[in-house]
Amino acid sequence: MLTEPLDLEAALKLAFIRNGEIRRRYAQLGISHADLQAAARIANPRLSLSWLHPQGGGPNETSQSVFVTFSDLLLLPSRRRLSAADFRRTEFAVMSALMELRKDVETAWYTQVSALQNQMLREAAAQAADTALELAQRFHAAGNIAQLELDEQRMRAAGARLAALRAKSDAADARRRLAGLLGLRSSDPWQTAGRLPEPPGEEISATAVVATAIAQRHDLAAAGEEVAMLEDALATTRRWRLLRPIGVGYEREHDAGGEVRRGPGLTAELPLFDQGQAAIARLEARLLDARARRDALALDVENSVHTEIERLQLAHEIYAAYRDRLMPAAASAVERRQERVNFMLEGVFSLLQARGERYDIQAGWLAAVRDYWIARAALRAELGGPLPGDDEPRPLTISLDDAMPPAESEHAHHGGDP
Amino acid sequence: MKMSRRNWFWWMGAGGLLPLALMGRRAYAQQDETQVSAPASRPGVRPVRTLNGRTLSFRMVGGVKEFHLVAEEVEHEFAPGSRAKCWGYNGTTPGPTIEAVEGDRVRILVTNRLPEHTTIHWHGILLPSGMDGVGGLSQPHIAPGETYAYEFTLRQHGTHMYHPHADEMLQMAVGMMGMFIVHPRHGEAVPIDRDYCFLLHNWALHPGSYRPDPAVMQDFDLWTFNSKVFPAIDPIVARTGERVRIRIGNLSMWNHPIHLHGVQFHVTGSDGGRWPRALWRPETTEIVGVGQTRDIEFVAVPGDWALHCHMSHHTMNAMGHDIPNALGVKQGDLDAAVRRALPGYMSMGEGGMAEHQEHTNMGHMAGPENTLPMMMGRGPFGNLEMGGMFTVVKVRNDLRREDYGDPGWYPNPPGTVARRVSEAPAAVRPDEPMDHSKMNHGG
Ligand SMILES: [Cu+2]
């Protein structure tokens, strides 16, 4: 069983082998479990050098080829059993499914890790509010504060406890979702890593990403190939229409994974009345249609990529506003309030209340970090491949340590160092 | 010379390394120090000692004593650790004390280097209506950059004050005030050996800020003698048997019951001059009302004697008045739990506030920047736990006549200091005769 906490790479590895949906696809292709294990063994070390695990990655083209290699390896055992056309189609479907799975796993992993961190944060906030309530009960029992002030602390403590319970429930939901994607039991004692990675300092530029998308989207490439194939077929038909009573047929079909092509086939015809005009007209119509579809898809890809980039850039701005403005201001405000308490300008309750507000801000910051990574995964899926910056190290450094210092062993007399 | 804004911020950034207030003074220092005040040279006229301050010099111009006050922004230090941008005269708050003699003709030039108009009202002085300094009523306002001349003949003696009578609330709240002492022409029947003066004032210098807030009417942060708080207030020094007068003016927004330990003083005067002896009355506490001045006199007896306002929060620096009362609340065992959320937290106040000065003395409970702890000062036997309007009258047998230096702590003669007779709370019960056999009666 899993003993190490699951980082994102390990989660993706698991998903690519164990995910129920992807295993059904493998099974349809006749890929055995042993093939999978072999593929995983061969491919994953190479994958770990690329965008699946960005720490040591090479340039994007390499990453892309590694991805192709992976699907290639997966399909190797069945290749002999498939026609070239079926192979292309299957390759495309599997790659699409893997891309989609990757996005889902990333989203679920970031959601789960942030939910766990949020659960800890909310638990700390609830404990602080409980402590404030206990203090208030003592102040009240000593005759020093009124019932009203006690009631306010009771409300705060109850509210903080409810927030902690909700956070716990969110974390459980996130765990179930991730377990489903990874093919794990949510009741088994596996764990994810404890921290979110720090987002990069600067966000990527839109123009580079759009160009990348145009270059690496598989469906776009397929649409382009279809146009090329039809142009080829049309030229062939025109050349041979009088000499050879043979037309080049071309069919396409739809399936759940999107539109795929079925390769050219030969059809024998009697050229008594038909000298190929109808076939040519049909092919011309198909070519026009294919070009329109390719262009529409290209526009659609570009627009979708722009949308996701904007979403990512906004997510980064929100994260950066937390990191650079709200978080430091909230930390400083609590410290300044502590100084006021030190000089008996203010009491412990307003200080703890300010700390509670800082917990809320820290929760918002966690959510901003999570949203950034989820937006990045969505953009990557839209792109059909790696993003600029994917190969930079992303240590898991988003920490709540300063929010929750470990319980102290003894601190009998004096306050901590400022 | 006037502080530029840039200098001010530079000073803030440097953490107050350089007492730039001196720069404000420099322009007038020469004028103040090269000419000795005339009052001292007259027989029977003894110049006053302005606590933490000085007397304004003058020059004789055609038989007129000509003084020059410059209203301007100043850097002021209430005590080390608390500075503010205030307004004052000739580089300080309060401004220098004007001293003259009954019968003198005085001309006081007032230059306005403030960003708004001002005037000076000569509080309690008998003069022509047009010299009274009420902006808009007695005279036009003195616009920024302008210099006005006030000129009148002193027809009285006594303890007086000067302050603006234009945008008065603001200008006084940020420190514009001074004393105006008029000595009697022919000396005093009961001569004074040491003559001190200071002004009472209050300041809304909110913790962490660097400029007094003129909008506050009651909840002040600092309470001062001559714009200083204890322990930065000069001691009042005298030799045993000397006759000491302390002249106190109040330009604050509260009345202050000023209490002197060790003697029954007589209240002998005010801005009405030195009263006839029949009106003198013995007291140990005298309320100096807002806008009033009071002179108290006593024959010095040896010792270190507290002189302070008896409003207890006026002998403290800034503290919160809306904090939960921790007296009698056990908290210490919850500190560890609070510190999980607030690493710097430590509870206080279960047994009272006395522990607070211990903590702030040791510096491990940092307060807001530019803010003094509410309790300060250390004496020979421990913390004084005071601030604000508090100083010490130090009387010694062996002082020279003109020695105003701080003689240190009083060496109590043997057997004249309160002593501990027991450390066991159960050993002494007020309703039972003491068992003297169990007690240490010392020497
Ligand atoms: Cu007072």
Side-chain angles (χ1 to χ4, degrees):
Chain A
M1 201 50 231
L2 295 159
T3 50
E4 294 290 305
L6 277 175
D7 60 14
L8 181 55
E9 181 206 8
L12 286 167
K13 266 191 202 173
L14 271 184
F16 285 168
I17 298 169
R18 299 174 61 115
N19 174 268
E21 193 69 29
I22 214 79
R23 277 169 67 192
R24 281 218 303 285
R25 279 190 184 277
Y26 297 152
Q28 284 161 7
L29 296 171
I31 299 172
S32 71
H33 189 66
D35 292 337
L36 266 180
Q37 295 294 341
R41 268 199 307 278
I42 296 162
N44 277 333
R46 298 175 64 187
L47 286 166
S48 75
L49 295 178
S50 72
W51 58 286
L52 289 176
H53 181 70
Q55 273 84 335
N60 291 343
E61 304 83 80
T62 310
S63 306
Q64 178 66 3
S65 72
V66 168
F67 186 84
V68 172
T69 304
F70 177 52
S71 62
D72 222 33
L73 278 166
L74 285 177
L75 298 170
L76 195 60
S78 56
R79 207 166 185 173
R80 273 166 255 118
R81 301 193 291 272
L82 296 171
S83 71
D86 280 346
F87 175 72
R88 289 285 290 153
R89 168 185 169 226
T90 311
E91 180 192 53
F92 177 65
V94 169
M95 283 168 74
S96 294
L98 285 169
M99 291 299 296
E100 205 53 36
L101 179 61
R102 176 183 158 81
K103 175 181 135 183
D104 291 345
V105 170
E106 279 195 72
T107 302
W109 188 86
Y110 289 123
T111 303
Q112 160 71 354
V113 174
S114 74
L116 285 174
Q117 287 195 278
N118 190 52
Q119 185 186 339
M120 286 168 61
L121 183 77
R122 290 301 183 186
E123 178 59 33
Q127 283 177 16
D130 285 343
T131 304
L133 174 57
E134 187 166 353
L135 277 169
Q137 282 162 341
R138 294 189 188 185
F139 274 75
H140 185 254
N144 293 23
I145 62 171
Q147 177 75 33
L148 170 61
E149 289 155 290
L150 179 59
D151 286 344
E152 284 168 355
Q153 296 304 327
R154 288 166 59 197
M155 286 168 63
R156 289 214 174 85
R161 181 51 63 193
L162 284 169
L165 288 171
R166 276 193 293 272
K168 198 173 175 182
S169 165
D170 290 347
D173 286 348
R175 180 182 173 85
R176 279 191 288 277
R177 164 94 182 122
L178 185 60
L181 286 170
L182 304 190
L184 297 174
R185 281 190 187 84
S186 60
S187 57
D188 281 346
W190 55 274
Q191 288 182 327
T192 50
R195 291 177 178 187
L196 291 170
E198 182 89 38
E202 294 293 324
E203 204 26 70
I204 48 188
S205 85
T207 39
V209 174
V210 171
T212 310
I214 298 294
Q216 67 189 10
R217 272 281 286 253
H218 299 100
D219 49 354
L220 203 53
E225 275 178 38
E226 181 177 350
V227 169
M229 203 171 297
L230 281 168
E231 283 167 345
D232 199 33
L234 190 59
T236 305
T237 306
R238 277 184 177 138
R239 193 176 310 136
W240 297 105
R241 66 193 166 102
L242 294 177
L243 300 178
R244 295 282 299 272
I246 293 170
V248 178
Y250 189 84
E251 291 178 26
R252 66 165 192 261
E253 63 183 30
H254 299 264
D255 72 5
E259 199 165 321
V260 295
R261 294 161 285 112
R262 192 175 284 278
L266 292 177
T267 313
E269 289 182 10
L270 293 174
L272 296 178
F273 309 104
D274 177 6
Q275 294 185 337
Q277 291 92 335
I280 287 167
R282 205 161 50 242
L283 278 171
E284 279 172 347
R286 284 185 179 178
L287 178 58
L288 285 175
D289 181 54
R291 280 179 178 153
R293 281 185 55 255
R294 179 198 61 190
D295 295 347
L297 184 59
L299 184 65
D300 192 43
V301 166
E302 194 174 327
N303 286 343
S304 303
V305 168
H306 267 298
T307 302
E308 293 301 337
I309 286 174
E310 272 172 34
R311 207 173 301 220
L312 180 64
Q313 283 170 338
L314 269 177
H316 193 270
E317 272 182 52
I318 291 169
Y319 154 74
Y322 269 101
R323 181 196 58 193
D324 300 336
R325 302 181 67 177
L326 191 47
M327 294 279 286
S332 175
V334 170
E335 278 170 36
R336 301 291 82 74
R337 209 170 281 275
Q338 174 69 64
E339 289 170 351
R340 290 178 60 79
V341 171
N342 288 347
F343 269 32
M344 288 201 170
L345 299 160
E346 231 173 281
V348 63
F349 298 115
S350 60
L351 177 61
L352 280 164
Q353 192 181 337
R355 185 64 187 89
E357 285 161 19
R358 190 177 165 218
Y359 280 125
D360 291 344
I361 288 166
Q362 287 173 313
W365 167 69
L366 268 182
V369 173
R370 175 200 65 199
D371 291 347
Y372 170 82
W373 288 114
I374 288 176
R376 202 175 162 94
L379 174 60
R380 193 184 290 106
E382 202 60 58
L383 224 58
L387 272 170
D390 267 355
D391 47 2
E392 286 162 23
R394 297 271 179 262
L396 306 178
T397 52
I398 293 294
S399 161
L400 297 169
D401 283 354
D402 88 310
M404 293 172 294
E408 41 200 324
S409 48
E410 63 160 339
H411 210 132
H413 205 152
H414 294 132
D417 295 327
Chain B
M1 169 178 173
K2 191 173 160 184
M3 285 286 297
S4 72
R5 177 170 294 270
R6 201 188 53 179
N7 279 344
W8 162 245
F9 284 110
W10 177 86
W11 174 77
M12 300 253 289
L17 288 175
L18 187 64
L20 286 188
L22 291 175
M23 294 174 64
R25 267 187 206 186
R26 192 174 299 144
Y28 302 96
Q30 195 178 6
Q31 182 190 339
D32 289 347
E33 287 161 14
T34 51
Q35 293 183 309
V36 177
S37 301
S41 60
R42 287 225 187 179
V45 173
R46 172 168 299 281
V48 294
R49 297 281 302 186
T50 304
L51 284 191
N52 300 86
R54 68 196 192 285
T55 289
L56 181 63
S57 65
F58 60 84
R59 53 188 188 138
M60 294 302 296
V61 180
V64 176
K65 283 181 178 173
E66 188 175 280
F67 299 86
H68 193 171
L69 288 174
V70 177
E72 61 186 355
E73 205 159 65
V74 300
E75 290 285 344
H76 179 69
E77 182 181 79
F78 291 95
S82 177
R83 296 178 148 263
K85 201 166 185 61
C86 301
W87 289 1
Y89 298 97
N90 299 18
T92 62
T93 171
T97 301
I98 296 174
E99 273 187 274
V101 180
E102 196 175 356
D104 283 348
R105 182 147 186 95
V106 298
R107 181 185 304 124
I108 307 164
L109 303 173
V110 177
T111 298
N112 182 3
R113 289 194 188 158
L114 298 171
E116 68 170 2
H117 68 218
T118 189
T119 64
I120 298 186
H121 165 58
W122 314 100
H123 185 113
I125 305 269
L126 306 174
L127 35 60
S129 175
M131 293 292 168
D132 198 38
V134 179
L137 175 66
S138 348
Q139 64 165 96
H141 294 103
I142 308 172
E146 291 180 342
T147 299
Y148 269 54
Y150 294 89
E151 187 166 333
F152 42 85
T153 300
L154 297 170
R155 297 186 279 129
Q156 67 192 123
H157 67 269
T159 302
H160 313 284
M161 306 182 285
Y162 64 88
H163 64 80
H165 225 296
D167 194 9
E168 184 176 326
M169 184 188 83
L170 180 141
Q171 294 191 6
M172 288 175 65
V174 297
M176 300 193 76
M177 56 188 166
M179 295 197 90
F180 195 145
I181 307 297
V182 184
H183 297 278
R185 188 201 306 257
H186 300 298
E188 298 180 88
V190 181
I192 298 295
D193 299 308
R194 298 196 185 224
D195 202 355
Y196 288 91
C197 71
F198 58 84
L199 279 169
L200 306 171
H201 203 45
N202 45 221
W203 306 76
L205 185 67
H206 304 310
S209 73
Y210 288 84
R211 191 191 294 271
D213 175 356
V216 170
M217 298 295 113
Q218 291 193 305
D219 267 346
F220 295 98
D221 298 298
L222 295 176
W223 308 88
T224 56
F225 291 172
N226 274 356
S227 305
K228 293 280 182 181
V229 298
F230 178 76
I233 301 172
D234 286 343
I236 287 176
V237 177
R239 177 187 165 103
T240 305
E242 284 181 331
R243 187 167 189 88
V244 179
R245 172 164 56 204
I246 303 175
R247 304 166 184 259
I248 306 165
N250 182 359
L251 287 177
S252 79
M253 308 264 271
W254 288 75
N255 297 343
H256 299 283
I258 301 297
H259 178 55
L260 173 60
H261 297 204
V263 293
Q264 286 181 343
F265 55 76
H266 279 85
V267 187
T268 61
S270 67
D271 42 13
R274 204 183 200 192
W275 302 338
R277 285 200 71 156
L279 294 179
W280 295 6
R281 50 187 164 79
E283 300 281 2
T284 66
T285 302
E286 174 69 0
I287 295 175
V288 185
V290 177
Q292 287 185 325
T293 67
R294 284 290 180 273
D295 299 348
I296 64 171
E297 296 177 23
F298 56 94
V299 175
V301 298
D304 281 347
W305 307 109
L307 170 70
H308 61 93
C309 177
H310 217 282
M311 303 274 277
S312 55
H313 65 294
H314 295 184
T315 53
M316 294 179 85
N317 299 324
M319 66 169 289
H321 301 294
D322 192 25
I323 59 175
N325 175 11
L327 188 58
V329 182
K330 183 170 151 54
Q331 305 171 71
D333 57 319
L334 292 179
D335 279 10
V338 178
R339 274 198 285 268
R340 294 200 65 202
L342 299 159
Y345 179 77
M346 178 180 63
S347 62
M348 280 178 296
E350 176 182 353
M353 295 185 186
E355 62 179 318
H356 191 250
Q357 194 184 342
E358 277 303 330
H359 294 312
T360 55
N361 279 0
M362 292 171 67
H364 61 244
M365 294 195 76
E369 62 179 304
N370 201 41
T371 302
L372 299 168
M374 63 180 184
M375 298 168 169
M376 298 174 72
R378 206 170 160 77
F381 300 108
N383 293 332
L384 269 76
E385 297 157 355
M386 291 272 120
M389 295 173 160
F390 181 97
T391 191
V392 182
V393 174
K394 296 187 169 189
V395 180
R396 301 290 184 269
N397 297 328
D398 51 356
L399 284 185
R400 284 181 296 106
R401 283 275 162 203
E402 296 301 324
D403 186 356
Y404 287 86
D406 185 341
W409 302 116
Y410 180 62
N412 295 283
T416 65
V417 179
R419 67 193 187 281
R420 175 164 55 217
V421 295
S422 170
E423 290 180 88
V428 184
R429 297 254 288 278
D431 52 351
E432 284 175 8
M434 278 203 284
D435 180 353
H436 286 253
S437 65
K438 288 180 184 166
M439 295 193 180
N440 167 20
H441 283 262

